[in-house]
Amino acid sequence: MEKNMSKKPTVQPALHKVIMVGSGGVGKSALTLQFMYDEFVEDYEPTKADSYRKKILLDGEEVQIDILDTAGQEDYAAIRDNYFRSGEGFLCIFSITEDESFQATQEFREQILRVKNDENIPFLLVGNKSDLNEKRKVTFQEAQDRANKWGVPYVETSAKTRDHVDKVFYDLMREIRARKKDENKTSNGRGKDKNKKKKLKCTIL
Amino acid sequence: MDFDSPEVMKDFPGLYMSERRKGNDSDYNDESEKASKKDMIIGKRKEKKDKKDKDKGYAALEGESSDESSPCKAKKSKAFKFTKSKDKDKDKECPKDKGECSSKVRQKKKVKLGFGHMFNSDGENQDIAEALPIFGADLKDACQRGKCHDGVNIPLPVRECIDFIEIFGLNFENVYKVSGNKNKVNQIKKMYNNRQTVKLSDYDVPTVTSVLKTFLRDLPEPIFTNELLVRFEEAAAIFNYNTREKYLKGLLNGLSSENKELIMWLIMHFYNIVQRDQVNRMNKQNLAQALNHTLHISSKLLQALITHRMDFYPTMHIKKYYPPLDAGSTYPEDPNIIRRELEKLESALNLIHWEMQQGFSSKWRQDQLWEVQRVQTDLKRKLKKELSHSSQTVVPDETEEQPVSLPEAEEVKGECYKSEAGAAQVDVDTNGESEDEAPDENIHALSQPQNIQSDMDTDGDEEKTEADSQPSEKVLLLKSSADNISNNESKIKNTTESSSIAITFSNDLDKKQLEDIDYGPGRKPIELSTHHSVQDNSKLTILHYKNALLMDLVDNLSKSIQIEYDQIQEYKKKLDALPPSKGVKFIRLPHSFRHVRELLACENRILEIKKVELVREIMDLTEECMDMSTTLMAAADINESCMHMLKPNF
């Protein structure tokens, strides 16, 4: 019993915190579960919030990924801020078969930027359900344009076929990792850090 | 009632303290300083003996603080400030979960390694102790801020202190009288205010009792409330046992649920202390004296409450608090235990969300949120798996949730509330009465209805028959059967009516039996349940439980007997008051009436035989029930301990 405890702090791989956002029913949980456990659940059950941790090899380096799967429903919008604040990277998901969910990404993006107060937060726009191409309502170009506007990558996935599932998580983690390295440097050289601090102060005031 | 009378003042030294508490507080402290100096030495010596596994972190702090702990200097505010600055760096990153390491240094490193600058790592955590403290807050706030996630609405510090004392303090000589090291007490207080996990097992009994006392003393309002305190004191001064109980009960129900629950918990705990007075030397009087200042009540009131504790909430018992599972603990297998844990986690999550919404979203709290969430997700998955497993083998009836293995945790809890609700119902009118009537009148009110009832049931000369045959018979009846007044009433009715009613009577009794049996298991296993460890032989556990239950049963029975005796006295008085001429009239009864009388007498004899049978039966059933419930409790206990095996709870 004590062994368990003492083990923990000694091995401390880098931990990256990823948050899944998007409207209800777009497949946030499905993507997460596919990534975590290679399983695809057909029946829909709205999430309130779920959190997962997984150890993975990211370019030969052992890292831990924490995934927080949030609620799409507006009912839980109040606690969303609490979660967003602690995220290091975001997967913003919509369903390519539902235009509304695509429109909603705009709001999610704004909310994240407001909470994080950081334009460069690692962020991926993800169009899910690519296996249902025949029911597509959002064109690839449309989504790509929005991603370009935000300055973020756009990827289409299918939680069902596992298409690009790993890719979105790994890509995001690489961004987070790069971002952290970057910050380490700048905080040593004091350049960007100062800037960030200013920003933070503005919101507080 | 007149409360300015000098007698009252003399009896209740703590009565008018609430307004000028601050001043009195320091007086009290000065007084106790002398004692505490001695105790500190004793305490330290004891510690060396007791604590082999002393935490290094605390040892370091102690070293720092030992110079400062000179008792004459140790004014409240000073000590407070001191610990504040000392704890500051610890506040930021000390983990709540027990699985994490407790060494400060290691913690710091961890934070730096991670994402120290990603967030405002200064956090707001050090302020939560000042903005939303648990100590010194309104009881309602304290309950919310220091929430116990298992549904018991008592502030966490109180709960944990009592749990600790129930295990380590019951046999501690002069427990509650000896006060602990002031610096350590403040340190613990500070940790609670910072929402850190406090490992009370690193401290000694006097320190922990002092923490509890500090919490109670810091409450802005006495737990009996400024409004009702005087009334409580009034009620405690009532001489008659039943009337006093009625009044106290009514008053307790007038309190808010937080106050009531806290008082109940404390009284149950104090009762357990007093039970061991031969070992700990704290009998009712001593304990009351040690605590009356803390609770701002007279010793008399406290003693009265301890005396009556069972009658107020018979099913109530102290349930040890197991905090929600954390990432380091092994998850339970039983779906029902998982469900219960999920509820706890949900409550813990809500609390974290609440704290964050109040503006306290330090890095540490954010991590906390993720971790609790993760455990919850894991458990949810596990529950799903378990259920799908069991659905393949057994029929998973969702409604049939209450398992055999969980009587203590869930059923009893539900029962507690049930009985509370029942009590509340009864006491709506008691309360009203107690406001209007004087105690003496109340005694009459108690016995009056019975008289009226028996008068109405019979008319004319039959009444005399009854009056004639009953009293002597009832003395026997009451003495032998250990039942309460309401049952007694039904007997009076039954004896005067036909034998067909005897069946309903027995039905009534059956119901009573069932009630008794239901209450049986919940009674008071706590005291012992906290005592054994996982490794304990289950037989021993069963014996312990059985012992506790038997003690309760004996207790209750003797109390019922007392009630019956009181009743007998009442009736005797009434009989004496009857004019003697009536007896003469009685002889001149017509034949038909004599016949009725004989019939009734005969019936009564039959009923009495029946009653003896039933009494025997109820005892047998109670015994059987006790056997089963002890086995169940032992099983549940083992389950629970297994579940928490990987978690140091103290």
Side-chain angles (χ1 to χ4, degrees), chain B residues 370-382:
Chain B
W370 284 62
E371 187 187 311
V372 178
Q373 192 81 67
R374 197 166 60 242
V375 176
Q376 198 198 34
T377 304
D378 276 0
L379 265 183
K380 263 194 241 161
R381 281 182 67 81
K382 180 145 191 173

Side-chain angles (χ1 to χ4, degrees), chain B residues 268-391:
Chain B
M268 292 301 299
H269 170 59
F270 294 155
Y271 175 75
N272 290 341
I273 299 268
V274 168
Q275 287 287 88
R276 307 275 179 103
D277 62 345
Q278 292 195 320
V279 188
N280 60 35
R281 292 173 64 189
M282 293 303 275
N283 56 21
K284 245 184 268 173
Q285 289 76 22
N286 290 344
L287 187 68
Q289 233 154 45
L291 288 164
N292 55 4
H293 288 277
T294 305
L295 295 168
H296 311 294
I297 58 174
S298 70
S299 325
K300 202 175 198 171
L301 174 53
L302 191 55
Q303 283 184 50
L305 287 166
I306 296 175
T307 310
H308 288 281
R309 101 262 161 237
M310 270 302 176
D311 306 304
F312 294 148
Y313 303 103
T315 57
M316 163 90 193
H317 72 282
I318 296 176
K319 200 170 86 186
K320 188 174 175 334
Y321 180 57
Y322 293 100
L325 296 175
D326 58 43
S329 35
T330 38
Y331 298 145
E333 302 286 329
D334 188 328
N336 295 295
I337 297 178
I338 296 180
R339 278 199 195 97
R340 191 161 36 123
E341 285 299 327
L342 280 174
E343 272 170 34
K344 279 198 213 168
L345 288 164
E346 185 66 30
S347 164
L349 276 175
N350 288 338
L351 183 62
I352 297 173
H353 278 303
W354 179 80
E355 284 168 353
M356 288 176 105
Q357 271 156 11
Q358 303 304 306
F360 300 100
S361 56
S362 62
K363 167 85 184 55
W364 173 76
R365 192 158 279 109
Q366 290 176 8
D367 288 348
Q368 198 65 28
L369 181 67
W370 284 62
E371 187 187 311
V372 178
Q373 192 81 67
R374 197 166 60 242
V375 176
Q376 198 198 34
T377 304
D378 276 0
L379 265 183
K380 263 194 241 161
R381 281 182 67 81
K382 180 145 191 173
L383 179 64
K384 260 187 209 161
K385 255 186 224 162
E386 294 288 335
L387 286 180
S388 64
H389 267 295
S390 59
S391 69

Side-chain angles (χ1 to χ4, degrees), chain A residues 1 4-6 8-9 12 15-19 33 37 39 45 48-53 66-68 78-79 82-83 85-88 116 121-122 179-180 183-184 187 193 196 200 204, chain B residues 97-101 106 110 113-115 117-120 326-328 346 349-350 352-354 356-357 361 363 366-367 369-371 373-378 380-381 384 645-648:
Chain A
M1 136 179 178
N4 270 350
M5 283 168 208
S6 52
K8 246 198 225 162
Q12 209 37 259
L15 178 69
H16 303 311
K17 292 177 152 186
V18 172
I19 295 187
L33 291 173
Y37 308 108
E39 59 186 41
E45 194 188 310
K48 186 179 173 190
D50 277 314
S51 166
Y52 305 86
R53 174 171 290 179
D66 262 10
I67 304 169
L68 198 104
I79 56 173
N82 290 339
Y83 291 121
R85 206 169 286 131
S86 47
E88 296 168 312
K116 297 301 292 183
I121 185 84
R179 178 68 193 268
K180 280 176 183 168
E183 272 180 3
N184 264 335
S187 66
D193 201 32
K196 201 193 157 195
L200 273 171
I204 290 162
Chain B
D97 52 315
K98 301 188 171 183
E100 298 287 328
C101 61
R106 235 187 282 159
K110 203 171 135 194
L113 253 173
F115 8 71
H117 40 79
M118 199 76 186
F119 302 101
N120 186 7
D326 58 43
E346 185 66 30
L349 276 175
N350 288 338
I352 297 173
H353 278 303
W354 179 80
M356 288 176 105
Q357 271 156 11
S361 56
K363 167 85 184 55
Q366 290 176 8
D367 288 348
L369 181 67
W370 284 62
E371 187 187 311
Q373 192 81 67
R374 197 166 60 242
V375 176
Q376 198 198 34
T377 304
D378 276 0
K380 263 194 241 161
R381 281 182 67 81
K384 260 187 209 161
M645 217 163 80
L646 293 186
K647 286 175 70 180

Side-chain angles (χ1 to χ4, degrees), chain B residues 439-482:
Chain B
D440 314 30
E441 281 169 348
N442 223 9
I443 299 169
H444 290 291
L446 245 175
S447 49
Q448 215 78 29
Q450 279 183 13
N451 266 9
I452 293 162
Q453 220 167 23
S454 52
D455 283 359
M456 298 222 297
D457 284 344
T458 55
D459 23 328
D461 290 312
E462 265 182 41
E463 184 195 343
K464 281 157 212 156
T465 352
E466 189 206 338
D468 184 44
S469 61
Q470 225 157 31
S472 58
E473 196 178 294
K474 230 175 69 199
V475 174
L476 274 174
L477 201 140
L478 296 177
K479 257 191 201 167
S480 55
S481 87

